[in-house]
Amino acid sequence: MSFDPRREDYQRLGLRFARELDGSDPATAVHAFSSFGRRFASMRDTLPQSDADRAFHLVADAAVMVDYQLPFAPDEQVDGLVGRAQALLDEAVALDGGCYDAVRMRFAGTRPSFESSYDFLSERAPEVLAACRAQAEAAAAGSFPDRARLGSDIAMRPYWRWMANLAEKALICGRNRACIKLAHELLELDPSDSADVRFTCALAYAKLEDEQGLDAFAAKNAALERGIGAEDAWMLLSRCALAYKRRDFDGARTQLRRIIDGYPHAALNLMDQKELPEGVFSRLAVGPGTEDELMLAISEATVLLLDGRYPFGAWVEEEARRFATPQDLVELEASKKERR
């Protein structure tokens, strides 16, 4: 689910290394590639790489710091992590001005308003698309089909992340129709939905109270390779919100029960409703069907749970309490006390 910056860094250099071995005799190539993992882990500078590869490596380091270390860092380490990550992104842009992940993440580091972020991402999206398409076309020109497909895919990922981030900002800003339009455009380009924009789109349909639109979206995407289904936490929360808003409480409870049956520790998380820091590189990479996935979905569904017109979040908390264990209630109180 979503993008793993370390894995992508490995893929980029692995692809370049394989291309460098073209023309070598098979025995030499096999022997050389057998050492790639060790060299990548401990002697990266000995591997062939471009400035763009070096820039992405800096982005991957910054992404790990901001998205995976910063949320758990003690207060005294926060400023240091933020400063180091920003310096890495500055260096990445200096190495490669077309490193759009670094450009986007650097802008986020200035702590702009949601509207400013939306405007920035929207204005530069055509530039990013043109640059990524040019790189993808160049990568697709190779004589090895598997490599060509991977190279083209890697070249487009910064644009997919850019557009997914733009869709998220549109949702937060209340531009729900724009969010849906952006999601559909991205899904046309990337039917495998590498950026998981379908989750953001489901929440936008729920915000608009467009149940028919959500049903059509789910049906259309169910036929695609990834199989969107109706059982992921974003879709279930969206359907639950729609049922609640039309006062179909039995229908809403059915969707809530599916979440509780399908995810570990669901009752606790539905009561707690924590807001998590937004991933800066991309939506955080979590396993499908895990507690982490549910926590992420609940956090992103804050736009539904805290909707001022309907006390939906309070209703969800109260209903989830019916399924809570005594241990869940102890952990809930401890979590709320910690946040105070």
Side-chain angles (χ1 to χ4, degrees):
M1 179 176 158
S2 200
F3 300 99
D4 182 332
R6 290 293 193 212
R7 182 170 182 269
E8 190 165 329
D9 188 27
Y10 183 91
Q11 287 177 320
R12 289 177 66 106
L13 282 203
L15 187 59
R16 184 171 297 280
F17 190 65
R19 286 171 173 161
E20 291 287 329
L21 293 175
D22 288 348
S24 303
D25 68 85
T28 300
V30 169
H31 177 72
F33 210 86
S34 67
S35 68
F36 174 77
R38 176 176 53 81
R39 291 174 65 186
F40 178 85
S42 58
M43 296 183 292
R44 181 191 172 89
D45 288 344
T46 68
L47 292 170
Q49 54 196 297
S50 66
D51 282 347
D53 295 327
R54 294 183 180 91
F56 187 82
H57 177 64
L58 296 170
V59 166
D61 283 348
V64 170
M65 286 182 189
V66 174
D67 290 347
Y68 296 95
Q69 294 177 2
L70 189 61
F72 307 102
D75 290 344
E76 62 272 16
Q77 294 180 13
V78 167
D79 289 343
L81 277 172
V82 171
R84 289 198 297 278
Q86 199 67 20
L88 290 171
L89 295 173
D90 290 343
E91 187 180 349
V93 172
L95 274 171
D96 175 19
C99 183
Y100 289 105
D101 287 309
V103 170
R104 178 174 54 82
M105 293 166 69
R106 252 178 77 180
F107 183 79
T110 66
R111 299 179 181 274
S113 67
F114 292 124
E115 286 287 350
S116 296
S117 293
Y118 178 85
D119 291 342
F120 173 80
L121 294 167
S122 181
E123 287 166 8
R124 297 199 62 176
E127 169 195 341
V128 181
L129 175 59
C132 290
R133 270 187 170 157
Q135 292 175 25
E137 287 169 6
S143 57
F144 293 87
D146 288 345
R147 289 190 207 166
R149 280 192 294 272
L150 177 59
S152 180
D153 180 85
I154 288 173
M156 289 303 299
R157 289 177 192 174
Y159 179 70
W160 296 337
R161 287 189 281 266
W162 191 282
M163 292 296 284
N165 194 202
L166 177 56
E168 290 165 7
K169 292 298 186 290
L171 177 69
I172 294 169
C173 292
R175 299 172 183 255
N176 301 305
R177 295 190 189 281
C179 174
I180 290 169
K181 181 175 181 291
L182 289 162
H184 280 270
E185 289 174 357
L186 184 52
L187 286 166
E188 287 295 322
L189 285 174
D190 176 32
S192 64
D193 194 18
S194 308
D196 294 331
V197 74
R198 66 191 184 279
F199 299 147
T200 308
C201 192
L203 298 175
Y205 276 116
K207 280 278 286 178
L208 285 173
E209 301 181 34
D210 183 359
E211 189 160 9
Q212 286 187 336
L214 181 62
D215 288 343
F217 176 67
K220 178 182 177 181
N221 286 280
L224 296 177
E225 196 172 280
R226 69 179 178 279
I228 187 173
E231 299 302 319
D232 67 68
W234 287 266
M235 182 63 74
L236 291 171
L237 283 166
S238 296
R239 292 196 183 284
C240 183
L242 284 166
Y244 177 84
K245 287 177 180 183
R246 66 172 184 269
R247 297 305 192 237
D248 177 9
F249 299 116
D250 287 341
R253 288 187 187 98
T254 296
Q255 301 301 328
L256 204 63
R257 185 59 190 261
R258 288 180 179 174
I259 296 172
I260 290 170
D261 290 344
Y263 285 90
H265 308 294
L268 171 61
N269 286 295
L270 288 165
M271 289 187 295
D272 205 8
Q273 298 177 18
K274 287 180 181 174
E275 283 193 66
L276 305 177
E278 180 185 355
V280 177
F281 177 71
S282 68
R283 177 179 272 110
L284 298 180
V286 295
T290 63
E291 181 181 11
D292 286 342
E293 182 183 72
L294 177 60
M295 291 175 69
L296 188 57
I298 290 170
S299 178
E300 293 184 8
T302 295
V303 293
L304 302 177
L305 294 163
L306 296 186
D307 189 334
R309 295 174 299 163
Y310 303 96
F312 177 53
W315 180 86
V316 167
E317 180 177 351
E318 188 59 34
E319 287 296 315
R321 194 176 290 270
R322 295 168 52 202
F323 300 96
T325 65
Q327 184 60 33
D328 286 337
L329 297 174
V330 170
E331 292 185 29
L332 176 66
E333 290 308 310
S335 177
K336 289 185 173 180
K337 186 180 296 184
E338 183 180 336
R339 291 206 292 275
R340 287 193 215 107

